[in-house]
Amino acid sequence: MPLCVCTSAFGLSSAERDSISQQFELDEVVVNSQKSSATRTTSYQTLKGAQLEGLSTHSVADALRHFSGVQIKDFGGVGGIKTIDVRSMGTNHLGVFYDGIEIGNAQNGTVDLGKFSMDNIDELTLYNGPTNTIFQPAKDFASASTLFIRTRRPRFKDGQNYHITATMKAGTFGLANPALLYEQRLTDNLHLSLNAEYNYATGRYHFTKKQGNIDTTGIRQNGDIQAVRAEAGLFGYLPDGNWHVKGYFYQSERGIPRAIIRNVWTTDQRQWDRNAFVQGNWTQSWSLNTIRKVALQVNAKYSNDYMRYLNPDTTSVYIDNAYWQQEVYVSVANQWTLFPWWDLDISADYIWNDLKTSITQWTRPQRHTGLVAVAMAFHYRWIQAQVSCLGTFVQDKDEKVESQKVAKVPTPAISLSYQPILKELFYLRGFYKQMYRMPTFNELYYTDGVPSHLQPEQTTQYDGGIEYTKEVKVESRKSKVESATNLLTINVHAKADGYFNQVKNKIIAVPKGNTQYRWQTMNLGYVEIRGVDVNAGIDLTIPLSSSPTHPLTISANGTYTYQKAQDYTDSTDPLTYGGQIAYIPWHSSSVMTSVSWNGLSLQYVFNYVGTRYSASANTLANQVPAWHTHDLAVKYNIQHFHISLEINNLANQQYEIIRNYPMPGLNGKVVIRYSL
């Protein structure tokens, strides 16, 4: 019987609890697997280990294309801004957590996932609703969907005290991406990790675009990027606990490519970013007796961000604005195991945000946010359930107007799973969750020049799903040596979820007056989303008599998403009322297959996104065509070296994710990695 993660994961961070290792009970010939894992009350998707390493991706956003229910917003090229929309809830409803602590952005509420390289990532986990654990900060309860990015922790072989990995990536569009990782065992219980990389690309690629009677063929301009990332981490291990401290620094300069309209696409817009933070985590547990346990988790973070945007085009509006943003975050979570079947958690967070701009006539807002979450987990034989309630308290202070106090009502969530057959990993599950999104500083203060009085967006999520996993191990009758490598292993997994989401008081922005520079925000929107997510796959490990220590492994995984996301904002507008909202396709899917043997692997990936519209008016003029891509990668590991050749968009398809922003055609890169 699966155990609740709340009782089996004391001493682990929130990201680690999502990847508790599997355990198998073996018979003599045929083996059925049973594992201890997180509760199955909510569907989640994970990429980790060899599967994550095998992807032909450059950033976290590229890897997330392979998750169902996810739509990427990509403005093209290596340096283009990349965000994701999960189940059509909107980018601002996604919480992004880096090593268990959220990446905040009070200015616009979004995180550019193109900034995060895959060079130092160990695992990506996406939850489409409540997470499968209650032992977490209150902030983890405060998003409609959550993405956990877990970076690599130091790992050492027996007798090894240090580890070095040097990587060089080079490819089309002038890509040059060297990286260096150094890990040191200071003591048995204290490890050090240092990681740095440099990323450069011209972003120049050929494109072909047809608009009416105009055919445009050219080279993408102003898509270059130069970026430096550096991280340092210290990891300590205690009896029944652990701690870590991490420092992060990122700095970039990039061009912002222009939409291609009427055969014009040149621009000189530039953006400079600097992001730095220091964060720490301490987790400890105590056993009061054989039944009752207590666990404590403390998180803290300070971040300092800078962004400058330059538009030197004086024919429209000359803009040269800079923004400085600070955040202080403190969290304490306590969990009690009252009975073997009942866990209780109380978490409290405090967040302070400050935003300053170079625009002298605009305000400097500050925000104080308090979050308190109470959650319980129940697990008895075939029933598992989680119940939580989050209270959010916000106070905005502004130096030019009176203080604005915003108090939100509690937002509850409940998730439940039922395992009809205890000997089978077969689950029926569902959840209900309410959530609020506070308006960002841009939406409240940096639109019309004076503070607005927007109400929070209100979301309600309903989900019902089914999940099944089956693993069978068959001993090879021809084997003369008994070992795990002589077992034919077949693992089949499948899950499907149907969901219904509502977004009320949706915040929209409209131009004010005759200029596109000044905008007015308001609460008008109401959206209903109905959808189905399907994930299925099979993994085979085939023993070979000619190579008993190197079995052949084959895997195939597929996803499919159907979404009907309708805009019910204005019943008087027949063009938009009931229309599919912008950039949400009805159908999307992906297939990922790989074959590996003795250090050599071949991977093929197919992505498909159906027809979309660039606005809620579903007219032919707003239609964005469907697109699909084929990617191929060949990789070889030999002793200390890893060599790979990756080719993307094999068919050289000309396509757009965002209207009038063409994506690259045929492209590729070579990766050489040396580890010691």
Side-chain angles (χ1 to χ4, degrees):
M1 169 185 171
L3 300 177
C4 176
V5 70
C6 310
T7 60
S8 61
F10 283 118
L12 298 180
S13 67
S14 60
E16 290 174 311
R17 291 192 299 274
D18 295 335
S19 58
I20 295 177
S21 60
Q22 296 184 349
Q23 301 176 359
F24 303 106
E25 298 176 359
L26 305 180
D27 291 333
E28 292 182 0
V29 178
V30 180
V31 182
N32 295 325
S33 70
Q34 297 293 331
K35 67 180 179 178
S36 174
S37 68
T39 57
R40 296 281 180 160
T41 56
T42 306
S43 174
Y44 66 94
Q45 303 173 76
T46 298
L47 285 171
K48 59 182 177 180
Q51 188 181 39
L52 185 61
E53 184 179 345
L55 293 178
S56 300
T57 57
H58 187 77
S59 69
V60 168
D62 296 330
L64 296 176
R65 297 177 192 268
H66 307 291
F67 286 163
S68 62
V70 171
Q71 301 301 326
I72 305 293
K73 295 183 178 180
D74 191 335
F75 290 85
V78 177
I81 297 174
K82 299 175 176 63
T83 61
I84 68 170
D85 182 1
V86 180
R87 292 186 172 181
S88 305
M89 298 289 287
T91 303
N92 287 348
H93 286 285
L94 174 71
V96 180
F97 292 80
Y98 199 77
D99 285 334
I101 300 178
E102 187 175 31
I103 301 171
N105 188 343
Q107 181 179 358
N108 58 37
T110 62
V111 177
D112 179 8
L113 295 173
K115 294 180 180 179
F116 299 98
S117 165
M118 296 301 299
D119 184 67
N120 193 38
I121 304 299
D122 248 3
E123 180 178 325
L124 298 174
T125 302
L126 176 67
Y127 284 91
N128 295 322
T131 61
N132 282 332
T133 177
I134 62 171
F135 185 39
Q136 60 187 11
K139 200 71 174 72
D140 291 31
F141 295 92
S143 300
S145 301
T146 49
L147 171 65
F148 291 100
I149 303 174
R150 193 182 74 176
T151 62
R152 174 188 170 98
R153 288 200 171 201
R155 295 190 291 265
F156 305 100
K157 299 178 181 179
D158 292 340
Q160 187 183 39
N161 290 321
Y162 69 92
H163 174 80
I164 300 175
T165 299
T167 305
M168 181 62 194
K169 301 176 184 177
T172 48
F173 322 136
L175 175 66
N177 182 204
L180 182 65
L181 170 69
Y182 176 77
E183 297 172 338
Q184 177 70 49
R185 187 203 304 266
L186 302 178
T187 69
D188 289 342
N189 297 318
L190 186 62
H191 301 162
L192 172 70
S193 175
L194 303 173
N195 180 254
E197 72 168 331
Y198 171 74
N199 187 19
Y200 171 82
T202 63
R204 295 169 60 87
Y205 54 87
H206 292 270
F207 69 90
T208 300
K209 180 176 176 58
K210 183 177 179 64
Q211 289 179 307
N213 297 324
I214 301 176
D215 290 333
T216 303
T217 300
I219 298 176
R220 202 71 170 110
Q221 303 292 326
N222 206 44
D224 61 295
I225 185 173
Q226 291 190 71
V228 176
R229 177 186 59 84
E231 296 184 46
L234 199 60
F235 303 86
Y237 301 92
L238 308 168
D240 299 318
N242 61 74
W243 61 270
H244 77 264
V245 177
K246 167 164 286 192
Y248 177 95
F249 177 82
Y250 175 89
Q251 182 169 297
S252 69
E253 177 187 352
R254 72 179 76 186
I256 301 178
R258 179 175 176 173
I260 298 175
I261 300 175
R262 299 186 180 278
N263 210 28
V264 176
W265 67 88
T266 58
T267 180
D268 295 319
Q269 298 179 43
R270 309 291 294 177
Q271 182 171 315
W272 293 261
D273 291 280
R274 186 187 68 240
N275 309 106
F277 65 75
V278 177
Q279 68 180 37
N281 165 274
W282 172 52
T283 304
Q284 188 70 43
S285 65
W286 298 269
S287 296
L288 303 181
N289 52 45
T290 57
I291 296 178
R292 290 176 174 81
K293 297 180 181 179
V294 177
L296 173 67
Q297 183 181 120
V298 179
N299 292 288
K301 177 179 181 179
Y302 170 75
S303 63
N304 190 303
D305 299 333
Y306 165 79
M307 190 270 281
R308 178 192 171 198
Y309 169 73
L310 172 66
N311 180 10
D313 186 3
T314 56
T315 61
S316 55
V317 178
Y318 178 85
I319 305 173
D320 187 359
N321 297 340
Y323 303 88
W324 294 265
Q325 186 175 176
Q326 296 183 86
E327 179 176 290
V328 174
Y329 171 74
V330 181
S331 170
V332 177
N334 289 274
Q335 179 178 274
W336 295 268
T337 299
L338 305 177
F339 300 98
W341 48 271
W342 184 12
D343 299 298
L344 170 66
D345 175 86
I346 299 178
S347 304
D349 295 4
Y350 168 75
I351 308 167
W352 172 77
N353 295 102
D354 172 76
L355 181 63
K356 181 176 66 173
T357 177
S358 60
I359 308 174
T360 56
Q361 70 270 25
W362 280 8
T363 184
R364 179 178 180 176
Q366 294 186 6
R367 174 171 292 176
H368 300 269
T369 304
L371 301 167
V372 178
V374 178
M376 291 183 289
F378 305 91
H379 38 93
Y380 178 74
R381 293 177 65 81
W382 55 82
I383 295 292
Q384 301 178 65
Q386 290 183 187
V387 180
S388 66
C389 188
L390 173 70
T392 304
F393 309 92
V394 178
Q395 181 183 37
D396 281 7
K397 291 187 176 181
D398 175 63
E399 59 188 10
K400 294 185 177 181
V401 298
E402 295 181 358
S403 298
Q404 297 182 5
K405 295 183 179 181
V406 183
K408 297 198 296 184
V409 299
T411 49
I414 182 170
S415 55
L416 178 70
S417 75
Y418 171 62
Q419 188 179 9
I421 305 173
L422 293 180
K423 293 184 178 180
E424 295 290 340
L425 297 179
F426 175 63
Y427 299 89
L428 302 174
R429 47 178 166 69
F431 73 82
Y432 164 83
K433 185 176 184 179
Q434 288 187 355
M435 192 50 54
Y436 283 72
R437 179 182 80 81
M438 288 299 299
T440 65
F441 283 162
N442 278 359
E443 292 166 338
L444 281 174
Y445 304 103
Y446 289 175
T447 53
D448 193 30
V450 296
S452 62
H453 297 279
L454 294 173
Q455 297 299 312
E457 283 188 3
Q458 305 175 37
T459 67
T460 305
Q461 299 168 271
Y462 304 87
D463 181 281
I466 185 172
E467 181 174 354
Y468 180 69
T469 301
K470 182 72 172 182
E471 182 176 79
V472 177
K473 292 187 177 181
V474 182
E475 185 177 353
S476 174
R477 299 301 184 183
K478 297 180 180 180
S479 173
K480 297 181 180 180
V481 180
E482 293 184 1
S483 68
T485 59
N486 295 317
L487 294 177
L488 169 64
T489 304
I490 305 173
N491 185 293
V492 179
H493 49 92
K495 57 184 175 181
D497 283 83
Y499 53 89
F500 174 60
N501 301 331
Q502 296 172 295
V503 182
K504 301 177 182 179
N505 287 333
K506 190 169 181 63
I507 299 172
I508 64 171
V510 296
K512 184 176 183 179
N514 297 322
T515 175
Q516 292 291 317
Y517 181 60
R518 301 181 71 86
W519 292 68
Q520 179 181 5
T521 56
M522 61 186 69
N523 291 109
L524 279 183
Y526 173 64
V527 174
E528 289 185 356
I529 304 113
R530 297 167 178 84
V532 175
D533 289 343
V534 179
N535 295 263
I538 183 171
D539 302 301
L540 302 174
T541 302
I542 306 172
L544 302 176
S545 58
S546 59
S547 179
T549 59
H550 300 290
L552 177 69
T553 61
I554 302 174
S555 68
N557 295 273
T559 67
Y560 169 76
T561 298
Y562 170 79
Q563 289 189 89
K564 189 175 183 180
Q566 296 174 284
D567 182 357
Y568 289 108
T569 298
D570 186 0
S571 60
T572 64
D573 188 345
L575 287 178
T576 62
Y577 189 74
Q580 187 86 343
I581 63 176
Y583 294 109
I584 302 300
W586 281 272
H587 307 277
S588 60
S589 62
S590 70
V591 176
M592 181 167 53
T593 62
S594 66
V595 179
S596 302
W597 175 76
N598 195 19
L600 180 65
S601 64
L602 175 67
Q603 184 181 71
Y604 166 76
V605 176
F606 170 80
N607 282 297
Y608 170 81
V609 173
T611 301
R612 299 147 292 144
Y613 292 92
S614 60
S616 294
N618 295 173
T619 62
L620 184 62
N622 293 330
Q623 189 177 91
V624 181
W627 59 269
H628 64 271
T629 58
H630 307 267
D631 303 331
L632 189 67
V634 180
K635 308 191 177 188
Y636 184 56
N637 294 312
I638 178 171
Q639 294 182 349
H640 300 293
F641 284 94
H642 166 90
I643 303 172
S644 67
L645 172 63
E646 303 171 6
I647 304 175
N648 301 318
N649 197 358
L650 281 166
N652 194 32
Q653 185 182 52
Q654 302 294 301
Y655 69 100
E656 298 173 351
I657 296 179
I658 302 297
R659 188 180 185 88
N660 298 324
Y661 286 86
M663 296 293 292
L666 177 68
N667 65 92
K669 67 174 180 283
V670 176
V671 180
I672 300 177
R673 181 178 296 116
Y674 176 78
S675 298
L676 181 63

